[in-house]
Amino acid sequence: MHALFDRLLDATSRIETPFALVDAPALQANADDLVRRAAGVPIRVASKSVRVRSIIEQTLSLDGFAGVMSYSLAESNWLVDHGLDDVLLAYPTASRQGLLDLVADDRRRAAITLMVDSTESLDHIDALIGRDHPPIRVCIDVDASLKLGPIHLGVRRSPVHTARQARRLAAAIEQRAGFDLVGLMFYDAQIAGLPDTSRAVRLIKQRSAAELLERRGEVVRAVGEHARLEIVNAGGTGSLEVTGQDPSITELTAGSGLFSPVLFDGYDAFESRPAAYFVLSVVRKPAKNIATLFAGGYIASGPTNKNRQPLPTWPEGLTAIGTEGAGEVQSPVKGRAAKSLAIGDRVVMRYAKAGEMCERFDAVAVVGADGAVEVVPTYRGEGKNFG
């Protein structure tokens, strides 16, 4: 660990804090491991977990990766305008301007697939841009959660859960002018996004995977009666080796696994190799065993609890103060290591999730194995804020 952080901190010593950095060897190792775990199934890069265009493009240049899963229609149009030719928008859109920009350009329409989960989604698109728009590629978001009686395990996404519901929506799209149904998506958050923290969690994940294996096949067959499917997308960083065994899918998705944030520690199937960090400076010492850092209140989305806070990583032995946590403009940390910290010293932090970190910074410093540094812009640094 000493050698790793000596390399990272020595290489970036002239960069003003706070700043974000990416360890290039760890990033490459993570990409290689994602491909290994996918076992030949192409991986679509989830842009929301990266939000650095150059890193997305670099990843797509590697064998085993193909296409982007975006999170905003404006982002999708922008990525295509910068040369990408296969973008699956992971969420339904309500953006009139984004839709107008999409249908105004044949290349965008050919490259971008929108997500829908109801005829109301189609109605809204027609209401925003008129019914006489040229054909738009669409994909049905199928709820991949596990339902056990009244219990819902997974995220609340699509109202489409069963093969019958998917068939009904596919038939409606087939009969509707202006839309081409080309894909299905299944995001198994209760598998991909859940660390293996207990035997009970492992059993639930196994049961969900078995249920999804059967239901995905049924949905694909049902929708295949009404559409020629080019895309059957499934999985996430935490479920590649499980979901990739399903013969009904055509591709997987991963993004967080490139950076390997704190929430991806604790999985049985793979070893976490942190690749993304941010660096803060000590600005005062209110006590011998406390060091106060400038900035740092970068809280990850999701349930507001301790595991959404950034994690002090280097030097070892630091923890956040429970009564303050990561602060708006200052973050005190305590512990044995704080005694040796002086004003101006640097502390390395890990973000709890992945892509949201890059919304806080205009650039990231990518540090090579030899200590060479390339500073590249984030989406924010390119003047883009897609929400």
Side-chain angles (χ1 to χ4, degrees):
M1 295 292 283
H2 278 280
L4 167 65
F5 290 106
D6 283 348
R7 173 172 60 85
L8 296 178
L9 291 173
D10 287 349
T12 57
S13 62
R14 295 184 180 275
I15 299 177
E16 288 281 343
T17 58
F19 67 90
L21 69 84
V22 169
D23 180 17
L27 180 68
Q28 180 65 56
N30 288 337
D32 292 343
D33 197 49
L34 291 172
V35 172
R36 177 192 64 79
R37 291 172 55 215
V41 181
I43 302 171
R44 190 176 288 273
V45 179
S47 65
K48 76 175 182 66
S49 300
V50 182
R51 306 192 199 202
V52 181
R53 187 162 57 87
S54 63
I55 293 178
I56 292 170
E57 293 170 347
Q58 173 190 332
T59 304
L60 289 174
S61 72
L62 303 174
D63 290 341
F65 292 91
V68 168
M69 178 174 282
S70 61
Y71 62 94
S72 156
L73 181 51
E75 175 208 13
S76 305
N77 289 328
W78 178 69
L79 290 173
V80 171
D81 291 347
H82 280 83
L84 299 187
D85 59 7
D86 181 5
V87 179
L88 174 62
L89 177 57
Y91 309 91
T93 185
S95 171
R96 180 175 182 271
Q97 189 58 57
L99 289 164
L100 289 172
D101 292 342
L102 172 69
V103 299
D105 186 274
D106 289 344
R107 186 170 183 276
R108 293 178 190 148
R109 283 197 303 109
I112 296 170
T113 303
L114 301 190
M115 195 64 59
V116 298
D117 59 23
S118 63
T119 54
E120 287 79 11
S121 297
L122 310 179
D123 293 340
H124 190 68
I125 292 171
D126 285 344
L128 289 173
I129 61 174
R131 288 183 173 273
D132 59 346
H133 57 78
I136 295 172
R137 293 167 54 89
V138 295
C139 174
I140 295 176
D141 188 353
V142 180
D143 174 33
S145 62
L146 176 63
K147 295 185 177 183
L148 301 172
I151 299 173
H152 180 105
L153 298 174
V155 292
R156 297 286 184 173
R157 293 176 69 108
S158 171
V160 178
H161 185 82
T162 66
R164 178 179 296 181
Q165 291 169 328
R167 180 188 290 111
R168 186 182 306 124
L169 179 54
I173 297 172
E174 182 184 27
Q175 296 300 315
R176 189 137 177 179
F179 299 96
D180 289 335
L181 177 57
V182 299
L184 294 168
M185 184 182 75
F186 305 77
Y187 176 52
D188 53 2
Q190 72 282 3
I191 305 174
L194 202 59
D196 298 296
T197 55
S198 68
R199 183 171 180 270
V201 167
R202 293 181 182 93
L203 289 173
I204 287 292
K205 289 171 70 169
Q206 290 171 7
R207 179 163 181 177
S208 183
E211 185 271 339
L212 264 177
L213 180 64
E214 181 177 354
R215 180 158 56 91
R216 264 194 307 258
E218 293 173 352
V219 171
V220 169
R221 289 189 292 273
V223 172
E225 298 171 7
H226 300 279
R228 183 177 178 181
L229 294 173
E230 301 172 19
I231 299 167
V232 180
N233 178 280
T237 289
S239 65
L240 296 182
E241 61 288 312
V242 174
T243 309
Q245 296 177 28
D246 186 346
S248 68
I249 71 166
T250 65
E251 61 180 41
L252 297 159
T253 295
S256 296
L258 294 168
F259 284 174
S260 196
V262 175
L263 286 178
F264 281 88
D265 296 348
Y267 279 75
D268 292 342
F270 61 96
E271 177 186 355
S272 179
R273 297 181 183 86
Y277 307 90
F278 61 92
V279 182
L280 308 177
S281 288
V282 176
V283 290
R284 55 181 163 191
K285 293 291 297 291
K288 285 184 178 180
N289 68 332
I290 298 175
T292 302
L293 315 176
F294 174 70
Y298 311 146
I299 306 301
S301 61
T304 52
N305 53 42
K306 188 177 294 186
N307 70 4
R308 258 51 185 182
Q309 290 195 54
L311 180 71
T313 303
W314 188 260
E316 294 177 327
L318 297 174
T319 60
I321 292 178
T323 54
E324 296 190 53
E328 186 176 8
V329 289
Q330 69 171 37
S331 300
V333 293
K334 64 180 181 179
R336 174 176 40 82
K339 295 179 180 180
S340 62
L341 289 173
I343 291 175
D345 286 348
R346 296 184 169 197
V347 173
V348 180
M349 312 284 287
R350 284 177 68 200
Y351 198 68
K353 294 180 73 175
E356 291 168 327
M357 182 188 80
C358 290
E359 292 289 356
R360 298 286 184 165
F361 300 96
D362 291 338
V364 295
V366 182
V367 182
D370 59 356
V373 178
E374 180 185 10
V375 178
V376 297
T378 61
Y379 280 11
R380 169 175 163 163
E382 295 198 69
K384 300 299 179 181
N385 179 353
F386 298 115

